[in-house]
Amino acid sequence: MNKELQLSTDKAYTFVAESAIETYKNRAEAANQALHDGKGKGNDFLGWLRLPGEISEAHLADIETTAALLRRECEVVVVIGIGGSYLGAKAVIDALSNTFDWLQTKRTTPAIVYAGQNISEDYLFELQELLKTKRFGIISISKSGTTTEPAIAFRLLSKQLEEQQGTDAARRLIVAITDKARGALHTLTKLRGYKSYVIEDNIGGRFSVFSPVGLLPIAVAGHDIKALVQGAVRMQTRCEPAVPYGQNPACQYAVARNILYNAGKKIEILVNFHPKLHCLAEWWKQLYGESEGKEHKGIFPAAVDFTTDLHSMGQWIQQGERTIFETMISVAQPNYEKRIPFDADNLDGLNFIAQRRVDEVNKMAELGTMLAHLDGEVPCLKITLPQLNAGYIGELLYFFEKACGISGYLLDVNPFDQPGVEAYKKNMFALLDKPGFEEASKAIKAQLSEV
Ligand code: PA5
């Protein structure tokens, strides 16, 4: 068994000219170098680039201490945040946790639930009802400290925590992760004396999973953050500019994506065969969507869970418009063993796979799907993880981050800003008559009366 993440691009390149790879290869190496030299677009947001290798034992120990306190004192920990402020943590926690953990009555770690990632009144009502009978804590994450969705959730839930468990408990069981000097969450933290961690200025939300934004919730959920970071460090080393293209998976993935995009493949579908990876795809969608979708350019990142979605989206992928390519995440070894039992009656006709492992069937579904999709002219990239554990997830996350930076430079956009995200906020504030938005309010109301 291979002991590290593997990327295979050969099944994608049957659809493109060899010469395109040569050209892009040199450009990718230059883009990787530009990231490291801080000479590309958005170079004030490169704090993530060397982050895994810079994390100290003392920092990890401090996060572990805070996590241990929350684990000891809470039945439920609510992680409040939106976008990059919660997706990385949820991606890792879901990938590494027992799928049915939330149903366990005897838990060894608090249940992790999320808030501030939507503005649904019913969601918040139901969450608060659940928490009425629980001893809970809060990790509130917002880099700007002013994002509306998490601010609403924090106002509701911090009040509930104080009322239910008292102000001393609230001070102990609320942890804030925010800017070092600015924003409402920073102000509240200072005034109320919460334990806090800083999100550095040069780390954008979607690149923050190896900062306390990701590490604290992951540690509270009981996962090995040291192994996660070590995995990321291994990948950091494998993707350095000094590593030639042939051995550099981040450069190879960035090149494949851009070649396929230029060949008319405008949609990339990230495919998994394990439901635990569903949220990892949500994190990946944000990473690539927010980094590349600008200046009227960029691959649209989509995701499916197989074999589940083979029974829904499978038809479109096989025979719909040929503007897609796939990136499959394959896990070489399952963590547990389960064989299909023999049945003397064989009424279900399954004895042809009796005594074989469920994973063998899953793997044949994976191979069968790839071959079918290649026949259907869908280029396929494949990422193989040896196993689902913290180290390999760390490798995968850093691999995607590094490739995203390189890929954004190949597309000639700034992969580290997100100006488009502001448009809906401006309209929402204008519609809600937020102070400071008076002119926008008048304009939007005039616009509405014309409709
Ligand atoms: O990647 C990003 O920068 C965004 O998704 C942000 O993380 C998200 O908008 C939340 O912002 P904040 O952390 O400032 O509340």
Side-chain angles (χ1 to χ4, degrees):
M1 175 171 94
N2 255 310
K3 289 277 170 34
E4 58 185 12
L5 176 153
Q6 302 288 319
L7 171 74
S8 136
T9 54
D10 52 328
K11 298 288 185 298
Y13 285 150
T14 44
F15 297 87
V16 295
E18 194 66 28
S19 56
I21 306 172
E22 265 318 297
T23 315
Y24 265 103
K25 181 180 143 181
N26 297 334
R27 286 185 56 204
E29 287 182 331
N32 195 7
Q33 192 63 56
L35 278 173
H36 281 258
D37 293 344
K39 292 203 170 131
K41 292 182 179 176
N43 56 6
D44 44 348
F45 277 95
L46 292 173
W48 59 274
L49 189 64
R50 297 180 177 86
L51 178 63
E54 289 168 355
I55 296 172
S56 68
E57 291 279 341
H59 181 59
L60 287 179
D62 181 59
I63 289 177
E64 286 290 5
T65 305
T66 307
L69 172 94
L70 291 173
R71 276 205 300 270
R72 211 167 42 242
E73 297 209 21
C74 303
E75 295 168 84
V76 177
V77 170
V78 188
V79 175
I80 298 180
I82 193 165
S85 288
Y86 92 105
L87 280 169
K90 188 166 187 332
V92 177
I93 292 169
D94 286 5
L96 298 179
S97 301
N98 182 309
T99 311
F100 305 102
D101 216 20
W102 59 281
L103 277 175
Q104 305 285 0
T105 40
K106 285 198 178 128
R107 304 182 55 91
T108 49
T109 54
I112 309 290
V113 297
Y114 301 86
Q117 83 284 33
N118 61 58
I119 329 177
S120 163
E121 187 161 337
D122 288 354
Y123 184 96
L124 286 164
F125 179 89
E126 288 169 8
L127 175 59
Q128 290 204 278
E129 285 300 298
L130 170 94
L131 294 174
K132 275 182 183 168
T133 57
K134 308 281 183 211
R135 204 171 157 72
F136 73 98
I138 297 173
I139 302 174
S140 190
I141 308 172
S142 176
K143 182 174 177 183
S144 63
T146 56
T147 308
T148 309
E149 291 91 335
I152 292 172
F154 186 66
R155 183 181 278 209
L156 282 164
L157 294 170
S158 58
K159 266 189 198 309
Q160 182 176 2
L161 205 162
E162 273 175 25
E163 282 161 18
Q164 253 174 240
Q165 290 160 223
T167 40
D168 280 351
R171 200 170 304 119
R172 243 188 4 268
L173 301 179
I174 294 177
V175 182
I177 307 179
T178 190
D179 187 85
K180 60 174 168 300
R182 287 180 305 255
L185 185 58
H186 170 79
T187 312
L188 280 167
T189 301
K190 288 287 152 233
L191 278 173
R192 297 185 188 162
Y194 305 140
K195 167 84 180 167
S196 65
Y197 291 94
V198 166
I199 311 176
E200 297 299 339
D201 287 344
N202 61 0
I203 300 179
R206 59 189 176 275
F207 287 89
S208 67
V209 63
F210 296 111
S211 79
V213 171
L215 296 181
L216 180 62
I218 294 166
V220 173
H223 300 301
D224 187 345
I225 53 172
K226 192 170 175 184
L228 184 85
V229 170
Q230 282 170 344
V233 173
R234 286 197 298 275
M235 187 53 72
Q236 194 182 325
T237 310
R238 284 179 70 191
C239 299
E240 290 280 336
V243 180
Y245 178 84
Q247 278 98 57
N248 194 319
C251 280
Q252 291 172 18
Y253 180 51
V255 164
R257 300 178 77 250
N258 279 275
I259 288 180
L260 292 168
Y261 178 63
N262 279 336
K265 307 296 180 188
K266 306 291 184 194
I267 301 166
E268 177 176 9
I269 306 178
L270 191 72
V271 175
N272 72 70
F273 283 80
H274 296 271
K276 285 180 186 204
L277 295 177
H278 175 85
C279 197
L280 202 131
E282 295 302 306
W283 171 85
W284 170 89
K285 272 161 45 180
Q286 189 210 0
L287 181 66
Y288 281 82
E290 228 171 49
S291 299
E292 294 190 322
K294 47 197 72 158
E295 299 176 31
H296 295 177
K297 295 193 271 192
I299 294 170
F300 182 84
V304 287
D305 301 324
F306 284 170
T307 60
T308 314
D309 293 334
L310 282 170
H311 298 256
S312 58
M313 294 305 290
Q315 172 59 38
W316 199 103
I317 296 170
Q318 190 68 45
Q319 295 183 328
E321 198 180 0
R322 300 299 73 188
T323 47
I324 55 171
F325 68 98
E326 280 181 320
T327 300
M328 287 192 177
I329 302 181
S330 179
V331 180
Q333 281 290 328
N335 286 327
Y336 307 105
E337 184 172 330
K338 182 63 68 188
R339 288 182 189 270
I340 296 159
F342 175 78
D343 187 294
D345 296 333
N346 196 28
L347 295 178
D348 53 13
L350 281 183
N351 273 354
F352 74 103
I353 44 173
Q355 307 307 346
R356 287 157 86 170
R357 291 184 67 172
V358 174
D359 190 62
E360 191 186 335
V361 182
N362 205 22
K363 287 287 185 322
M364 290 309 111
E366 192 180 302
L367 184 57
T369 302
M370 181 181 274
L371 294 173
H373 289 178
L374 288 169
D375 282 346
E377 293 174 38
V378 179
C380 289
L381 302 165
K382 183 171 168 179
I383 296 164
T384 305
L385 296 183
Q387 226 171 344
L388 271 190
N389 65 27
Y392 296 130
I393 292 291
E395 288 188 19
L396 182 66
L397 296 176
Y398 187 85
F399 158 76
F400 276 139
E401 287 186 349
K402 187 68 186 284
C404 185
I406 298 170
S407 185
Y409 280 181
L410 290 179
L411 193 65
D412 196 23
V413 295
N414 175 355
F416 309 115
D417 66 0
Q418 54 283 329
V421 178
E422 296 309 311
Y424 97 91
K425 291 186 194 167
K426 186 176 155 240
N427 285 348
M428 177 176 75
F429 293 146
L431 290 164
L432 288 168
D433 296 312
K434 183 174 176 176
F437 285 77
E438 291 77 7
E439 284 309 309
S441 282
K442 267 192 233 152
I444 205 162
K445 282 172 190 165
Q447 192 185 341
L448 283 175
S449 65
E450 284 164 15
V451 178

